[in-house]
Every structure is written in C-alpha cells, then in structure tokens.
Amino acid sequence: MPDIISVTKLSKQFRDIKAVDELSFTVKEGDVYGFLGQNGAGKSTTIRMLLTLIEPTGGEIEVMGMNLRTHRKEILRNVGAVIEKPDLYKYLTAYENLSLFAKISGVKIPAAKIKEQLELVGLSERANSKVKTFSQGMKQRLGIAVALVHNPKLIILDEPVNGLDPQGIADIRNLILQLSKSMGKTVMVSSHLLNEIELIASRVLIIDKGKKIKEGTAAELFDPANTIIELSVANPKEVWEKLKQTGWKDSLYLTEGEMILMKLHKSNIPSLFKTLSEMGAEIYSLSPRHSLEDYFLSITTQNRHVETFAN
Amino acid sequence: MWKLLQIELFKIYKRPRTYISFAAVLAIVSVVQIALRYDGQSYIGFMMSGLSDTFEFQNEKVLNGYLVCFIILNTLLIHVPLLVALIAADAVAGEANMGTLRLLVSKPISRTQLILVKFTASVLYIILLLLWMAVLALFVSIMIFGTNDMVVLRNDSFHQMQVNDVLWRYFMAFAYATVAMSTVAALSLLLSVFAENSVGPIVATISIVIVLTILSEMNIPLYDKTVKPWLFTSHMVAWKGFFYVKSTEDGETIRGSVENLPAITRSFSILLGYIILFTGLAVLSFNKKDILS
Amino acid sequence: MKIRLTLFLLIFTSFVKGQEANDLLKKVRGKLEKVNDYVASGKMRTNVIFMKVPVASIKVYFKKPNRLKIKNESGISLVPKGSISISLNNVLTADGYTAIDAGTAAIGKTEVRVIKLLPVDDNNEVVLSTLFIDPVRLLVLKSKTTTRDNGTYELEMSYNKYADYALPDKVIFSFNTKEYKLPKGVTFDYDDGSEKKETNGKPKKGKVELSYSSYIINKGIDESIFK
C-alpha cells in the first residue's frame, strides 16, 4: 500500500516550547491510523501542521506523494477534517453549512448528495435547523459530514469523541470503521483514550512531549505480555507482602491508593486468580486497565517497585 | 475568487448583526428628520446666526432636502465607522472565535484570497449601507423637505449652490465616503487578524478612529503641519470638499465647480494608500499566522 | 461787527442754499411721486468677501410710501438688511429732515449737487444721508446713509429706460459686513490644507448689485406680498 502521509523530522517550536520534536511517521492507504498522546503531547499541533494551519519550524510533510508546501491546494482538496470541536456557522442551517464547505472545497456537489451526507450522519430531519440549536453530538456528526462532503481520500479526525455520551462514542466508532472498510478511506484519528484507538486502529502512533514513543500495528503495540491489571482486595498491604514472597514478585508493579497494579501476560491472569484464592485474599475485583498512562507504564522497560505500604 | 466572495456575502447576509447597522442608520436618519421637520426653523436660525445680523433670508427655503441630507451626513458619517467595524473586525476574529477559521483555512483556498475576499465583502457591505443611507438621508429628505439651493457654512465662508448643481455632488460624496469607510474596513480587518474574538478589534478600531478624529479636528499648531496631513481621519471628511464651490472675482458661485479638487484627489490617494497598506499588512500577517483557535 | 456780518451772511447764504436744496429735493420728489407702485424683475449679484453665492433672479416689489420687498421666486437669496433704502422714497418722502447744501461734486462726467439730510428727530435710526443729485435730469445718482446701528450704506444708481420715473436700471448697494466666523467644532470642516486668507478683523464692505430688466409701474400690488 502506498503512503498517504509521510512525515519526516517534523518540528514546531513555539517561542520556548518545543511542541513537536523531529517527529517522523507514515500513514498508509486504507489505514485507520490511531494517533495517541496525552493532552498537550503535540497531537493537535501535528494535525494542524498537516492541515497547513500551523507552519512547521522544521521537517517535511508529504501527502499523497506531494509536498504540502508546494502542492497545498491539490492536497487539501482531497482531505477532510474535524479539528477539535467541530464548530460551524451557528447562524446557518445544517444544510447551508454543508453546502458552503462543499463549495469552498472546490467541488460541485448536487443538492441530493448533500442530503445524502446528512442522511449518513443521521441529521436529515434537522437539515433546515440552525446549528445553534444543535446538541454537541449533532454538531459532531455534522462536523464529520462537512469533512466527508467533498469525498476526500484522507480524513483527519482530531479527538472526535470528546464530549460525547457513550452512544455517541459508539456511533462515531462505527462510522470510522464504515469509512475505512466499506468506503476505502484512509482515516487518521487522534485521541488520548487508548481503548478507543485500540478498538478501531490498524496502525498506531504514540507520542509524548512532541516525540515519537512508538509506532506500529495495533497487535505489535498492545502486547498481551505487558497487560496492566488492577487488583482490588480487602487487605492490600498484606496481599502485596504475601505476593512478594511468591513467583509473582516480578509482576508487582505499584500501588495506587487501595489498588495494586500488576504487569503480566494476559494468559497468566487465571493462574494469578488461583494464587490469590490460595492465599485466602478477598478479591473485590481484578481487571485489565486501558488508559494511556498505564500504557506508558507498561512499555517502560523496568518495573518500578514503589512500596508505599511498607511504611 | 468569485465563488468565495459569494460565500462570504452569503455569510454576511445571513448574520443577524448585519442588519443592526441598517436599523441604526434608519433610526438616526429618522430622528434627525423628525427633529428638523418640527423644529428646523430654530435650527436654521442658530446655524445662520453669524449672517442674520447682516442679511435677511427665507429660513424655510434654506431648510430643504439637500441641506437636511448634509446635516445628517455630518452627524452620521462620524458614526458609520462603528457600523463598519462591526462587520469588518468580525471577519477573521469572529470566525476564530466561532471555531470556523481553522476549518476555512484547512480548505484548498489561499489565505491571501481569503483576506482579499473578506475585504471585498466588507466594501460591498459598505456600499449597500451607504446606498441605504442615500435613500433615507437624501431621497426621503427630498420627499419631506423638497429641494432648493443648498447653503453650506464653513467656519470662515458661506457657500451657496443652485438647486440643479447639487445632486451630482452627493453622488461624488457618497462615492468618496465609500472609499473613506473602506479605509476603516481595512484597518478593522488588519486588527481582526490578530484577535481571537471580535470585541477586541471592534473596540480597537473605534478607539483609533475616535482618537485620530479628535486629533484631526483639534487646532494644535504642533500637529497641523506634521501629523494631521497624514492621519487618515483628516482625509475621511474630504467628501465635504464636493460642497465647497469656486467663485468668480465678484463672489459669484461657479456652477459645477469644486473649490479644491486637487486636495480631494490628494486625500483620496492617501486613503487608497492606507487601504493598500492595511490590507497588505493583513494579508502578510494572516499568511504568517499559526491558526491556534 | 465784521464778524457779526460774516456770520449773518453765512447763515443767510446757507439759508438761501438750503432753500435751493429744498427746491431741488421737491422736484426730485415730484418725479418719484409719479410712481405709486412697481414690480421690477432683475438679477441680484452678491459680492461679499466670505460668500460664494449664485446670481439670483429676483423681483422687487414697491408700494408707496415706503414698502419694499425683494423676492427670489425659486432659489434662496440673502438680502442685506437695510436694503429697504434701495428705495429712495424711503429717504425722500419722509418729512422731518433738514436739508443742507454741500456744494457740487462729479460722478463720472456728470456734475452733481451734494445735499445732506439731517433728521430733525435725534432718535432717528438714520443719522445722516448724503444725496448726489443730477440737477438736470433730476435724478439721484448716489446716496450715502449713515445709520445708528447698521453702519453706512451706499447706493449708486444708473438710469436709462425708466429715467422718467426716476427708476434705475442698475443699483449697487454697498454695506458693512461683520466679521464672519463659526467655531470649527460646529462645522467640522474638511481642512484641505490650503492657506487661509488672513482677515484683519476690520469690518468689510459688501456689495449687492441689482440689474433690472423691466419694471411694471402703477399696476397695483397685492398687500400680501409684503407680509
């Protein structure tokens, strides 16, 4: 598959802050490319550089084989984006917004096609309502319709599920999968929520403080050998000490309040259960965790034993 | 470019705030017309008091549609920059505030085009606003007060034009006012580029216009020859120059004449210069700007 | 004695001269008396330093003894106050003047008699009038009127077609104008950067020139005109 986005040593310096630091990555055609990082990691800056909103201080961006600096218009004609909150013209209707942005995108789109787009995002009944009357979720869907209306090859979604209720999140997730699987689009999705990305992304890039931490397929990154589990028991101090005496010693990770965190291979969870019950520990819950912080914890090479209970 | 302009005009047309200006003009013009309709004679008496010691004249003829329009323009045109700023200062900053700017700029259109289109749209808005003003202040006043010779009082002279030597002056004056207001629009647009919401640039534009207008109107010898000739506000009132006539040696008004056309042309060029400067700076800064809104 | 004699002679001759002056005035007045009313059409040209005014087409209405109205049928005209004395009747028909002969003078090539009129009433608005009369044609060619409040007016008249009625074809009315200045804040002028003519604050002379093309004499005028 050819590269859709190819970024080389991309940097952005804002006065004394290095927002993006020599970042390189490639997005291949047909990917759902997950772009992970905590808030402030440089995701938005990177995306804005891809969309020519921010001028890079260093590095090169190629999209669809063309240099972004020299072929800006050709590239942007084939890109659709939702950047952070999908803000639109509040005083215009959904239909007006959509047709306005279609025109700006440089394609002639018949009214029927615009209605079809509204249908796709489930807004056909509100086509003639002003956007100021819309809920956050409706705005989000309309924003996506705006990103899709000119039939772009590449779709960039910056934190598309922010502020949505669970149903809204599920809707967006399904829409992304539909775009990729049945419409053959390349989608780049940024998020600070690992579990969201894990569910949809074929390839993932993780950045922190503007630097690349890891890039690869989802399977490579979410290595079951490094699963973080969260254990809640009646007497955590005692259980921690007891586990220290067993073969689970190296899996003990750290404590967080009354929780014990452990890092182990997913397949070892049943036997951990066994050990715990043999110890007579009263287990409230035991579950794998899916936050980005945990992920960062899981990929750090050495386990840090923070023995907070020891004191 | 034309398509972009259409879009920009469509946005202006759809915004409720666009119509505030039209309503404001209607309100101000009506208030002045009503006042002059019922108490115009005493106003004329006051206005002409410098002459009434020496001359007798017919107040009711002096107060005609042409003079009423002149009075309205004198009071109104000072405030029109506010209405212009309301739209022009919002052009970029308003979109930044609404969050649509990032979407707009990530579309396959150049930033230069975007600024030029926004400026053009503001100018078209100004033209419509001034046409509206012309209809109300000139044609409605003519309907209410009729027409007659027009008298214009300057601080040191008195100009009288014959009734059929006035209308063309208004066409010129309105055309000139369009350029003057476009200067304000260009300034607003420039300030708008730097802001993330429209209140800042609106207030800034108005403040600049007010401060410079005060400087232009004050008689301070230190500024008269140095600063004032270069303030754009000094030249914004040059539309009045079309109502200053030339006379023969014997003091007879020369029909169709303008007292100091070169000065008007000069003022016009200075305003054009400012428009180019402000718009150029707006284009430059907008092209360099990182869109973080 | 000698002084007394001289004084007597002086008074006597001036009395005789005054008598002559009165006779002349009577004749001139007699000529004016022929006109009960008139409507004159003509052009008015205003020449005042600070004013730029178009030539106005005007009608002048007059009715005995001293009613006068200048009307501009279409445009605006600024008529100088005191222009009532454009009509000589105002000066001549009123009683209560002492006429003094002040010798002769020349206006152009015409030799004229100069007669000064002093009002008997000290509170009269007019302080002094001087008339320059062509004794042959019995026409007043020039008059100077000094008023208490409005300065001095001057009238210069030339006669042609209507000389028989003592009605001039052309009248130049000169008067004093006050310094004209409006505060800048009131006018919000456009300052075009041109040098302003320095005014020295002295009263300025203004002129209004009336050229009559026709008179309609003694055809009666409706009273309402003068309101």
Side-chain angles (χ1 to χ4, degrees), chain B residues 160-206:
Chain B
Q160 184 182 342
M161 284 141 270
Q162 275 178 323
V163 61
N164 46 12
D165 189 26
V166 178
L167 203 57
W168 71 273
R169 295 175 194 276
Y170 273 113
F171 291 135
M172 299 303 280
F174 275 109
Y176 190 94
T178 307
V179 178
M181 292 309 138
S182 299
T183 315
V184 177
L187 172 67
S188 297
L189 195 59
L190 172 61
L191 295 171
S192 184
V193 167
F194 299 103
E196 312 254 293
N197 75 66
S198 50
V199 178
I202 291 174
V203 172
T205 305
I206 298 309

Side-chain angles (χ1 to χ4, degrees), chain B residues 38-52:
Chain B
Y38 292 101
D39 201 24
Q41 301 307 328
S42 58
Y43 179 82
I44 297 298
F46 169 72
M47 184 183 106
M48 302 282 274
S49 57
L51 288 169
S52 50

Side-chain angles (χ1 to χ4, degrees), chain A residues 33-281:
Chain A
Y33 194 82
F35 188 21
L36 271 168
Q38 288 166 293
N39 290 328
K43 298 189 305 283
S44 278
T45 307
T46 306
I47 285 179
R48 279 168 190 254
M49 285 193 279
L50 290 175
L51 293 166
T52 70
L53 294 172
I54 293 178
E55 177 78 19
T57 42
E60 286 302 324
I61 301 172
E62 275 192 11
V63 181
M64 295 161 212
M66 293 174 282
N67 189 301
L68 186 60
R69 242 183 268 270
T70 53
H71 294 79
R72 180 176 176 272
K73 281 193 190 176
E74 289 102 304
I75 291 169
L76 291 179
R77 209 163 283 149
N78 281 301
V79 176
V82 178
I83 313 149
E84 290 173 30
K85 282 186 295 152
D87 288 313
L88 297 157
Y89 297 105
K90 293 185 185 71
Y91 51 88
L92 299 181
T93 65
Y95 181 89
E96 284 166 342
N97 265 294
L98 207 50
S99 88
L100 187 150
F101 279 108
K103 267 187 208 156
I104 296 178
S105 303
V107 268
K108 219 178 155 65
I109 288 150
K113 182 80 203 294
I114 291 174
K115 290 199 178 116
E116 204 178 286
Q117 280 303 332
L118 284 169
E119 193 103 32
L120 180 74
V121 295
L123 287 173
S124 48
E125 275 168 29
R126 299 293 300 273
N128 295 317
S129 311
K130 291 212 163 106
V131 169
K132 64 180 166 201
T133 66
F134 281 20
S135 72
Q136 186 60 30
M138 290 163 83
K139 283 188 203 163
Q140 196 81 26
R141 282 181 283 159
L142 183 58
I144 289 175
V146 166
L148 297 177
V149 70
H150 55 295
N151 196 24
K153 283 187 195 154
L154 171 65
I155 295 152
I156 298 176
L157 305 172
D158 188 8
E159 302 272 5
V161 296
N162 254 11
L164 294 189
D165 57 20
Q167 183 57 47
I169 293 174
D171 287 348
I172 298 285
R173 191 191 301 143
N174 292 333
L175 187 67
I176 291 171
L177 289 172
Q178 191 189 343
L179 287 172
S180 159
K181 299 241 155 60
S182 40
M183 297 165 84
K185 310 273 184 204
T186 307
V187 186
M188 181 173 181
V189 195
S190 83
S191 180
H192 62 280
L193 299 171
L194 179 121
N195 48 356
E196 272 311 309
I197 295 299
E198 198 182 1
L199 288 168
I200 51 173
S202 51
R203 282 161 49 79
V204 178
L205 166 71
I206 300 170
I207 66 165
D208 191 37
K209 298 194 181 83
K211 284 188 176 170
K212 175 154 83 177
I213 300 292
K214 218 153 192 181
E215 187 189 13
T217 62
E220 278 163 29
L221 289 178
F222 305 119
D223 185 356
N226 290 322
T227 307
I228 299 270
I229 65 142
E230 196 180 85
L231 176 64
S232 173
V233 287
N235 195 346
K237 260 189 205 174
E238 200 186 309
V239 173
W240 177 276
E241 289 306 324
K242 276 186 180 167
L243 281 172
K244 237 173 149 181
Q245 314 300 322
T246 68
W248 295 103
K249 182 174 151 242
D250 292 335
S251 298
L252 282 173
Y253 197 47
L254 53 81
T255 58
E256 204 180 70
E258 295 290 289
M259 295 283 190
I260 295 170
L261 297 191
M262 294 176 76
K263 188 158 111 180
L264 39 79
H265 198 281
K266 218 170 179 175
S267 62
N268 289 339
I269 293 177
S271 66
L272 174 64
F273 247 116
K274 216 172 154 192
T275 313
L276 286 169
S277 21
E278 279 166 10
M279 255 180 221

